[in-house]
Amino acid sequence: MGYIKVREVYQKLKKAESCFFPVIMMAPTGWGKSAAVEYFYRRKSVLTLFCRRGKIQDRPAAEEIRQSVVIMEDAQWLLEDEDYTFVRKLLREGGRQILILTRGAFPKQLSGEEQDYNFVRIVESDFVFGENEVRQFFADREVEIREEDIPKVTEASQGYPRALYYYTNHMAGGIRYSEDVLQAVWEDIYHLWDGMMYEQWSDEFRDFALAMCRYDEFSEQMAVMLTGNPELPKVLEYCRKVMTQIVHLPNGNYRFRPEVCGFFQWKRNLSWSKESIDENYRKGAYFYEMQGDVPNALKFYRLAGAKENVRELLIKNAHNHPGVGHFIETKDYYFELPEDDIKKSPVLMAGMSMIHDLILQPEQSENWYQELLRFENDKLSSREEKREAKVWSAYLDLALPHRGSKGILRMMKQVFCLIKNGEIVLPEMSVTGNMPTIMNGGLDFCEWSKSDTQIARFMEKPIEAIVGKYAKGLVTIALAESGFEKGKMEPYEVMTRTLSGYEAALHGGKIEMCFVSVGIQARQHIVKGQLPSAKRISESFHKLAVEQEAVQLFKNMEAFEVWISLYTDAGEQVQKYIENESDVQGTFTILDRYRYMVRIRCLIAGDRLFEAFDLANFLTAYFESYERRIYWMENELLKGIILFRLGDEHWREHIKKAVEKAAEYHFVRLVSLEGAAVLPLLQKLRDEGEFASVPGEYLTQTIEETEKVACIYPDYMKYTEKEDIKLTKREMQILS
C-alpha cells in the first residue's frame, strides 16, 4: 500500500523546505507523522534520531552530521539538557532541515527558538483524512466500499488512519458500515493502544487516567481527592509534555478527549474490581455534592448503587425553591423513589408536588399536596413530623404555580400569622422565578397592580416575613414595575426606585432581585430610545452574575440580552439563539416560559412564522390554566402579528382581545414595546372602530407610545430577506 498524501501536511512541509524553516509535528500516535516525513524526504539524505529513555539514542556530534535532513522521533520523551543544547546548535548552524516529531506539546525548553527560527507547526488536524483520502485508502487496500458509506466512515473514524485500517478489515467482502462495525473498530483501537502505549506511560499518569476517565470534566482539586495524589500538577505537566490526551478548558477545569476517555474506561473495567469502581463513583459523587452539583452527585451515587445517599440528597435538594433547586434535572431520581418512602417524608412529598406542577401536571401536584395534609393530620405522625408537614403545606399554599395569585393575599396573611406566632419557619421562597420581572415572575401579580400602593402599604411586613432576603428592595422595585407598565410613573421616578431597590438587594438581599431591577431599567431606556444604555446595564449585570456564580440566572440573562438585540440589526445573534434553544415538545417546563417567549419573537424576526405560531399555540394552554395573564396578553399580541404576516384575517381577534385585556390593567408598555411589529395592526383596528370597548385615554396613550417606539426602532422583529448576489467569474476569483 502506497502513502496517501494529505494536502495540508504536504503544503506545510513544502513551505518549510522552500523557506528553510524547521518543522515540529505534534500529534498522537498513529496519525502518520513518520510516514509523512519519510515520503516527503524519500529522495533526500536523512538522519533519523530516536529519543528513548529520556535522551537521544546514538547521538552524533553536530559537526559530524553530513545529511541535509535531521528528523527527531518521539521527542516527547526527551529530558536531558545536553540534548536540547544539541538541538539548539543544529538550529543555529543552519544548512539542514530540522524536524521534531512529538506526541505532546511544543517542548518548553525550545520556546525561545520557536519564535527565533519560525517553526512550521503541523498538528493533528492537518493529518485528518477527508472523504477523498478515505476513498483512496479503501482502494489501495482493495476493499470495496459503497459511496454512501464513505461519509459515515469518514465521520466515525474522525479521519484517523489507524481506525481506517480496522474499518477495511471489518468491511472486507462487501460488509456495510454499521454500529456493530463501529464498536468492533473501537475495540481493535483500544487493543492497539493498550499494546503500543499504555506500558510506556508513568504509573502516576495511569492511576490518574483510570480514576478520572468517567467524569466529563474535572478540576485539579477533584482529581487530587479521587486519586489521593497531592503531586497532581506534576502529572498534568507530564500529560502536556508527552501526549495530547488532556484538554485544559477555559473555566480552568480539565477533560480527557472522548476517544481516549473510552479507552481508559475500557481499561479500567478490565483492571479494577467492581468495589474499586463503586468507591471511585462514591468519591466523585461526594465531591459533586460538596460543590452543589446535585445532578452529577445523584448520577454517580446511583452508579455506585448508593441508594441511601440518593434519597438523602433528594431530601436536601427538595428544601430549595425551584429557582435554585435542581427539580427538573433530577425529577427522574424522585420518580424512581418508592411511593411508600416518599410518603414518610414531608419534604419529599412537597418536592413531588412542586415537580409535577413544574412539568404541567397540576392534578398529580394536588394529589401529593393532599398526601402531605393527610400526613400532617395523621395521629401516628410525631409532633415534629406534623410541624414539618405544616411548614411544607404552608409553603405550597403560596408557591404552587398552577394556583395562580387568586386568594394569595388571604393566604399570605394566614402564613404570616403562623410565622409571627412561631409555629413555622418557611424555607426560602423566590418571587422572581429568575426572570427580569416581579409582576410576571414567580406568579402573575397583575391583579395587584390595580391597587399597588395600598397593597404595598399593608402587606410590606407579611411579605418581609415570608420571603426573607428576597424582601430587600422588593416593594420599591415592584411599585416601579407597576408604574412603568401602566405608563403612569415618570421615568425619573422609575429609575430612582429601581436603583434604590438594586442597592438594597445587592447589600444583604438576593441577586435575582437585582436582575428584576436591571430588567425594568432596560425597558425604560428602550422606551426612551436609549438602547446603548439598556445594553450597558445588561452587560454590567452579566459580569456581576458571573462573578457571583449566579448560574440559575444565566439562561434567562442570555434570553434577555437576545431580546434587547431584537431592537437592532442582530440577525446572527437571533439565529444562533434559535438554533441553540431546544424545541418545546417533550422538554417544556414552566421554568422555560420566559425563554420561549423570547424564542417566539426570534422566530418571527427570522420569518419562521409557522414555527412561531405552533409554539405560541402550545403555550396558550399553560398561560390560561396557570393564570399567567401577562404572558397570555403578550402571546395573543404575538399570535396576531404572526397571522397578520401570514395573511390570515384571524389576527384581528387576537390583537383585539390582547388590547382589551391590557386596557383592564392600563398596561401601556406591554403593547408599546412591540413597536413596529404591532403598530400597523393597532392603527388599522382603531381606524375601523374595532376598539370601541377600549377606554379612549388608554388607547390614545398606547398607540402614541407604540408610534414613538416604532419610529426609534423601525427594524424591531422585522424580517429582512437576504439579497441574492451574483458575482462575475472574475469577482469570484478575487473573492477566493
Side-chain angles (χ1 to χ4, degrees):
M1 176 179 170
Y3 175 74
I4 297 175
K5 187 165 65 176
V6 183
R7 181 173 174 270
E8 287 77 7
V9 174
Y10 190 84
Q11 286 184 341
K12 287 189 175 183
L13 287 172
K14 196 74 176 171
K15 174 188 175 183
E17 184 183 49
S18 62
C19 300
F20 224 71
F21 292 152
V23 175
I24 183 158
M25 287 186 167
M26 298 175 288
T29 185
W31 278 101
K33 300 184 295 295
S34 300
V37 295
E38 286 173 10
Y39 174 78
F40 189 84
Y41 296 107
R42 63 193 181 281
R43 296 187 180 89
K44 299 276 187 177
S45 175
V46 176
L47 172 64
T48 302
L49 301 173
F50 294 94
C51 307
R52 299 192 182 110
R53 295 185 292 277
K55 62 181 181 179
I56 299 173
Q57 305 295 301
D58 303 319
R59 188 189 74 207
E63 58 272 12
E64 294 175 0
I65 298 174
R66 299 290 177 262
Q67 292 86 348
S68 61
V69 179
V70 178
I71 299 171
M72 300 181 62
E73 285 269 14
D74 291 328
Q76 70 274 4
W77 301 121
L78 208 56
L79 296 173
E80 300 289 340
D81 288 339
E82 60 187 45
D83 286 323
Y84 284 110
T85 301
F86 170 74
V87 175
R88 292 189 192 100
K89 186 174 182 180
L90 292 179
L91 291 169
R92 277 197 311 271
E93 289 179 352
R96 302 182 189 90
Q97 189 75 53
I98 309 298
L99 295 100
I100 300 175
L101 279 56
T102 177
R103 296 176 191 169
F106 197 101
K108 64 182 181 182
Q109 293 88 341
L110 298 175
S111 298
E113 284 73 20
E114 178 186 13
Q115 298 181 34
D116 294 342
Y117 296 103
N118 294 314
F119 269 84
V120 172
R121 285 174 168 250
I122 301 178
V123 296
E124 179 183 332
S125 58
D126 296 321
F127 290 96
V128 172
F129 277 15
E131 291 182 15
N132 289 335
E133 288 82 12
V134 170
R135 189 181 290 107
Q136 185 179 344
F137 193 98
F138 272 76
D140 284 1
R141 298 209 69 214
E142 298 181 351
V143 176
E144 291 187 15
I145 180 172
R146 297 196 185 188
E147 192 63 30
E148 56 267 33
D149 281 342
I150 291 176
K152 298 175 184 176
V153 171
T154 304
E155 181 180 1
S157 68
Q158 300 174 29
Y160 182 43
R162 295 279 192 185
L164 291 171
Y165 172 83
Y166 293 123
Y167 273 107
T168 59
N169 288 349
H170 289 288
M171 295 177 69
I175 295 175
R176 300 291 305 277
Y177 172 83
S178 66
E179 284 296 316
D180 290 339
V181 170
L182 173 66
Q183 294 304 319
V185 167
W186 275 115
E187 192 163 336
D188 286 342
I189 293 172
Y190 292 163
H191 281 103
L192 171 73
W193 290 347
D194 194 23
M196 283 184 64
M197 300 186 298
Y198 190 72
E199 293 303 323
Q200 296 179 12
W201 297 323
S202 69
D203 292 340
E204 291 84 359
F205 170 73
R206 292 200 296 262
D207 292 342
F208 159 72
L210 297 181
M212 304 310 300
C213 61
R214 190 61 179 82
Y215 303 95
D216 293 337
E217 66 177 74
F218 51 87
S219 64
E220 190 174 313
Q221 180 187 5
M222 180 181 181
V224 168
M225 177 179 167
L226 268 65
T227 62
N229 183 0
E231 300 294 322
L232 199 75
K234 293 181 180 179
V235 179
L236 293 171
E237 175 58 23
Y238 174 87
C239 296
R240 188 201 72 81
K241 183 178 185 301
V242 306
M243 63 190 71
T244 54
Q245 298 183 4
I246 300 286
V247 179
H248 196 180
L249 302 172
N251 62 4
N253 287 348
Y254 298 86
R255 67 170 174 82
F256 282 98
R257 290 170 48 154
E259 58 273 16
V260 294
C261 203
F263 165 69
F264 287 121
Q265 289 179 38
W266 171 83
K267 186 66 179 177
R268 186 202 60 178
N269 292 337
L270 292 177
S271 54
W272 279 19
S273 66
K274 184 181 185 305
E275 290 74 20
S276 297
I277 293 173
D278 287 347
E279 180 61 22
N280 175 264
Y281 288 158
R282 283 178 184 272
K283 287 181 179 178
Y286 180 73
F287 180 85
Y288 283 128
E289 184 179 353
M290 294 301 98
Q291 298 297 311
D293 187 346
V294 175
N296 269 321
L298 288 169
K299 173 184 175 181
F300 286 98
Y301 275 137
R302 178 202 266 169
L303 286 172
K307 293 181 180 179
E308 189 57 34
N309 292 95
V310 170
R311 185 177 184 277
E312 289 176 3
L313 187 52
L314 289 175
I315 290 175
K316 187 187 295 185
N317 184 64
H319 279 87
N320 296 317
H321 65 76
V324 295
H326 302 272
F327 287 105
I328 300 305
E329 303 97 311
T330 62
K331 62 180 171 43
D332 291 340
Y333 296 97
Y334 284 95
F335 293 158
E336 286 174 4
L337 291 174
E339 279 202 9
D340 289 343
D341 280 0
I342 299 173
K343 291 177 181 178
K344 294 174 185 176
S345 167
V347 66
L348 284 180
M349 285 185 277
M352 289 294 286
S353 180
M354 182 59 71
I355 288 171
H356 281 293
D357 221 7
L358 296 177
I359 60 175
L360 301 177
Q361 295 177 348
E363 289 183 12
Q364 292 93 320
S365 173
E366 287 293 348
N367 289 341
W368 279 111
Y369 175 80
Q370 292 302 321
E371 287 292 340
L372 183 61
L373 292 183
R374 275 193 284 273
F375 184 91
E376 183 183 344
N377 297 318
D378 192 334
K379 294 179 180 179
L380 298 178
S381 298
S382 68
R383 182 177 179 181
E384 189 57 37
E385 288 173 332
K386 287 176 180 287
R387 180 184 174 87
E388 185 183 10
K390 191 170 190 175
V391 167
W392 286 105
S393 63
Y395 173 85
L396 293 178
D397 284 335
L398 299 176
L400 282 179
H402 77 271
R403 294 184 179 178
S405 58
K406 187 177 181 180
I408 199 168
L409 285 177
R410 173 180 50 80
M411 193 64 65
M412 289 178 80
K413 291 176 184 176
Q414 293 175 359
V415 172
F416 175 59
C417 289
L418 294 174
I419 296 172
K420 194 175 179 181
N421 295 334
E423 296 181 47
I424 63 171
V425 177
L426 275 188
E428 188 175 78
M429 182 181 300
S430 171
V431 294
T432 73
N434 295 330
M435 296 166 202
T437 171
I438 293 177
M439 288 180 59
N440 197 17
L443 293 174
D444 181 302
F445 291 112
C446 64
E447 288 293 329
W448 288 24
S449 69
K450 294 177 179 178
S451 308
D452 47 16
T453 51
Q454 296 93 318
I455 291 174
R457 191 178 302 116
F458 74 83
M459 286 299 294
E460 187 168 3
K461 289 198 175 297
I463 289 172
E464 287 178 357
I466 290 168
V467 302
K469 289 185 177 181
Y470 279 94
K472 290 275 189 177
L474 188 154
V475 173
T476 303
I477 293 173
L479 288 173
E481 183 170 20
S482 180
F484 168 78
E485 288 295 343
K486 290 186 286 190
K488 292 183 176 180
M489 187 178 287
E490 289 297 317
Y492 172 79
E493 187 176 354
V494 171
M495 298 302 290
T496 301
R497 284 180 175 275
T498 51
L499 288 169
S500 173
Y502 184 97
E503 286 298 315
L506 190 62
H507 300 98
K510 288 289 186 175
I511 192 170
E512 291 93 328
M513 199 60 63
C514 295
F515 187 31
V516 176
S517 173
V518 167
I520 301 166
Q521 290 176 55
R523 298 202 295 276
Q524 180 66 71
H525 282 310
I526 288 171
V527 165
K528 289 299 179 182
Q530 299 157 351
L531 190 64
S533 296
K535 287 184 175 181
R536 177 181 53 76
I537 61 170
S538 174
E539 291 167 1
S540 177
F541 176 73
H542 193 131
K543 291 177 183 176
L544 174 67
V546 171
E547 288 172 6
Q548 296 195 10
E549 298 181 352
V551 293
Q552 71 275 16
L553 298 179
F554 288 176
K555 287 186 176 180
N556 284 341
M557 278 179 3
E558 180 192 14
F560 180 65
E561 289 163 2
V562 170
W563 171 74
I564 291 176
S565 75
L566 284 169
Y567 287 92
T568 61
D569 183 16
E572 187 175 336
Q573 185 178 359
V574 168
Q575 185 61 33
K576 183 179 178 182
Y577 185 74
I578 293 173
E579 300 305 327
N580 287 347
E581 276 290 318
S582 59
D583 289 331
V584 66
Q585 302 298 337
T587 63
F588 177 77
T589 73
I590 67 172
L591 299 177
D592 303 324
R593 56 190 179 269
Y594 178 74
R595 299 197 298 279
Y596 279 115
M597 290 302 286
V598 173
R599 181 180 172 85
I600 293 173
R601 291 176 171 90
C602 291
L603 289 169
I604 295 172
D607 202 38
R608 295 165 63 167
L609 300 176
F610 289 106
E611 291 177 63
F613 194 68
D614 285 346
L615 180 52
N617 270 338
F618 177 87
L619 294 173
T620 298
Y622 157 56
F623 295 152
E624 291 177 347
S625 61
Y626 278 58
E627 296 183 17
R628 303 298 311 206
R629 298 176 184 87
I630 297 176
Y631 275 128
W632 181 88
M633 288 180 261
E634 288 184 9
N635 202 36
E636 289 299 300
L637 283 175
L638 295 176
K639 283 195 283 186
I641 292 167
I642 295 166
L643 291 174
F644 179 79
R645 296 187 184 190
L646 288 172
D648 189 320
E649 285 298 310
H650 287 94
W651 68 264
R652 297 169 177 275
E653 59 190 75
H654 291 285
I655 296 295
K656 187 178 177 184
K657 285 192 296 184
V659 172
E660 287 174 346
K661 192 67 176 176
E664 183 181 330
Y665 306 101
H666 206 278
F667 286 163
V668 173
R669 270 55 188 275
L670 183 147
V671 180
S672 67
L673 277 167
E674 302 304 334
V678 77
L679 178 61
L681 288 68
L682 297 177
Q683 292 171 331
K684 192 172 182 64
L685 291 179
R686 177 198 60 188
D687 296 343
E688 293 173 358
E690 294 290 337
F691 288 136
S693 60
V694 177
E697 175 267 330
Y698 169 80
L699 184 63
T700 299
Q701 183 183 356
T702 300
I703 292 182
E704 284 180 355
E705 285 213 13
T706 308
E707 287 172 345
K708 291 176 183 177
V709 173
C711 184
I712 300 167
Y713 313 107
D715 293 329
Y716 173 70
M717 280 205 299
K718 178 182 177 182
Y719 173 69
T720 304
E721 190 173 359
K722 295 180 178 61
E723 293 183 22
D724 184 15
I725 301 173
K726 294 182 179 180
L727 301 179
T728 65
K729 186 176 181 180
R730 179 59 180 157
E731 287 170 335
M732 283 298 294
Q733 289 175 340
I734 294 170
L735 184 60
S736 297

